[in-house]
Amino acid sequence: MIFTQDEINLMCIYDTSDKAELTKELRFSVPYIENVELREITETVIHKLERMTAAEFLSIEFVPIVTKEDVENE
């Protein structure tokens, strides 16, 4: 399963040590997300996590990626 830069960055906000816990935390946050784009990204991540195996999850490198554009927009 391949995650986008935005999806990895989103997951890095949460505890990524356990797939079930990460999925639970993301699900819990959805009703509180007002930004439509962020809500869609969150829901996409949840669906991807639900479809992946434990081995696939363990192979993910949870390193947030910051681009020059991200910094300039601050």
Side-chain angles (χ1 to χ4, degrees):
M1 190 73 46
I2 297 175
F3 290 96
T4 67
Q5 172 184 328
D6 288 338
E7 292 168 345
I8 291 288
N9 288 345
L10 172 65
M11 288 187 284
C12 286
I13 296 170
Y14 299 90
D15 178 6
T16 57
S17 63
D18 179 80
K19 182 181 119 172
E21 188 62 29
L22 174 59
T23 305
K24 178 178 143 188
E25 289 178 14
L26 287 166
R27 254 196 219 105
F28 178 80
S29 70
V30 170
Y32 302 100
I33 301 172
E34 294 179 8
N35 180 287
V36 174
E37 182 180 2
L38 181 56
R39 186 177 320 118
E40 289 173 354
I41 292 170
T42 304
E43 291 171 344
T44 299
V45 169
I46 292 167
H47 294 303
K48 286 181 178 182
L49 289 170
E50 290 172 338
R51 292 191 314 255
M52 67 186 333
T53 66
E56 289 173 321
F57 179 78
L58 292 173
S59 72
I60 300 171
E61 188 174 342
F62 290 104
V63 177
I65 303 165
V66 180
T67 65
K68 181 179 177 186
E69 183 180 277
D70 294 332
V71 174
E72 289 174 349
N73 288 333
E74 287 186 7

